[in-house]
């Protein structure tokens, strides 16, 4: 019975977050964080039409309300470490100026992981979605952030946006999409040769399609 009530409460809470205006949704989310005794705060920046989350002395910007609330429900550090565990980054010995390529960077959470671990890598992000790219510029300042998709050919192609689940793709998603746009693509080989990269220490690839 308790488990069913818990699920019902969670679903109701998610529904409220979804239908409430952005500012009120942030207030409700922050109320939950306070009740759960988590030092995590969400903000809506009307001038940028973006959301911001602060925790663990770090700040992240995101564009999709529900995805951001759920992604950072346990904090920025937790999110970064969860991704790092997925890619087994703790098994890799990084040195200063190692090239770290993040394909399908989304909000740039892996860059935050490098900051948490005080790594001085050369971080390069590829994120074709315009809205996520605007967040990356804020989340990964001073890094090489590319608003293009890595592909098997260099050119311009259709790109299907599905930011709510992080499933934007060069191939039309089976579950539908919100908008179709044109994006520039580049091959990894062309990028490496153009930028005279001698050695890539880590290449993360999460690119639907």
């Amino acid at each position: 019975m308790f488990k069913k009530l818990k699920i019902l409460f969670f679903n109701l809470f998610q529904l409220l977050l979804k239908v409430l205006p952005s500012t009120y949704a942030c207030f409700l989310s922050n109320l939950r964080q306070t009740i759960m005794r988590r030092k995590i705060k969400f903000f809506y920046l009307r001038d940028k039409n973006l959301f911001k989350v602060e925790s663990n002395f770090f700040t992240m910007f995101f564009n999709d309300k529900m995805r951001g609330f759920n992604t950072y429900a346990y904090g920025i550090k937790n999110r970064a470490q969860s991704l790092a565990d997925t890619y087994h980054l703790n098994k890799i010995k990084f040195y200063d100026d190692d090239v770290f390529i993040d394909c399908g960077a989304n909000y740039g959470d892996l860059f935050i992981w490098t900051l948490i671990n005080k790594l001085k890598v050369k971080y390069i992000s590829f994120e074709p979605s315009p809205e996520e790219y605007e967040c990356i510029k804020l989340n990964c300042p001073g890094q090489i952030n590319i608003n293009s998709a890595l592909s098997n050919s260099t050119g311009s192609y259709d790109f299907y946006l599905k930011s709510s689940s992080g499933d934007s793709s060069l191939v039309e998603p089976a579950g539908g999409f919100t908008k179709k746009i044109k994006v520039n693509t580049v091959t990894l080989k062309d990028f490496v040769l153009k930028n005279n990269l001698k050695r890539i220490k880590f290449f993360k690839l999460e690119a639907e399609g």
Side-chain angles (χ1 to χ4, degrees):
M1 182 66 179
F2 176 75
K3 186 176 181 180
K4 289 183 177 179
L5 286 174
K6 188 176 180 181
I7 293 173
L8 179 63
F9 176 79
F10 176 79
N11 290 336
L12 178 61
F13 183 80
Q14 290 288 304
L15 179 61
L16 283 173
L17 287 180
K18 190 173 183 178
V19 300
L20 282 173
S22 298
T23 301
Y24 293 107
C26 286
F27 174 82
L28 184 60
S29 188
N30 290 337
L31 180 61
R32 178 180 67 166
Q33 298 295 346
T34 300
I35 293 172
M36 299 301 291
R37 297 183 180 181
R38 301 176 191 149
K39 295 181 179 180
I40 303 167
K41 296 204 75 172
F42 292 92
F43 306 87
Y44 175 61
L45 309 177
R46 193 179 302 276
D47 59 327
K48 297 180 183 294
N49 193 27
L50 290 176
F51 295 87
K52 180 175 73 170
V53 57
E54 295 179 352
S55 73
N56 309 113
F57 304 103
F58 289 101
T59 299
M60 291 289 285
F61 295 85
F62 59 92
N63 64 296
D64 188 272
K65 179 174 70 172
M66 294 306 297
R67 185 158 189 269
F69 284 158
N70 292 322
T71 295
Y72 301 110
Y74 294 94
I76 295 170
K77 187 175 180 179
N78 180 276
R79 165 63 174 172
Q81 188 57 56
S82 175
L83 281 179
D85 291 343
T86 299
Y87 298 112
H88 304 289
L89 293 186
N90 291 320
K91 295 183 178 181
I92 303 172
K93 180 65 175 178
F94 288 98
Y95 296 95
D96 289 356
D97 296 322
D98 276 346
V99 176
F100 187 117
I101 297 182
D102 190 354
C103 175
N106 201 250
Y107 297 137
D109 296 288
L110 287 184
F111 175 66
I112 297 299
W113 180 83
T114 69
L115 295 182
I116 291 170
N117 290 276
K118 300 178 181 179
L119 302 176
K120 298 178 180 179
V121 298
K122 179 183 285 187
Y123 178 82
I124 303 172
S125 73
F126 285 89
E127 178 51 58
S129 175
E131 292 184 346
E132 277 85 340
Y133 177 69
E134 289 303 312
C135 296
I136 282 183
K137 289 194 295 183
L138 295 170
N139 295 334
C140 310
Q143 307 307 303
I144 302 173
N145 302 307
I146 314 295
N147 187 204
S148 298
L150 280 182
S151 183
N152 61 341
S153 60
T154 296
S156 177
Y157 294 91
D158 289 337
F159 188 71
Y160 301 88
L161 294 174
K162 195 176 182 182
S163 297
S164 60
S165 57
D167 292 322
S168 299
S169 174
L170 286 169
V171 176
E172 184 175 342
F177 59 95
T178 56
K179 187 178 180 181
K180 183 172 73 171
I181 63 173
K182 286 285 188 181
V183 299
N184 293 324
T185 64
V186 63
T187 67
L188 182 61
K189 179 180 179 180
D190 286 349
F191 180 81
V192 167
L193 292 175
K194 182 178 179 180
N195 292 274
N196 196 31
L197 298 180
K198 298 298 183 183
R199 184 169 176 267
I200 298 171
K201 183 63 170 287
F202 179 76
F203 175 45
K204 168 244 173 176
L205 179 61
E206 185 174 336
E208 290 77 11

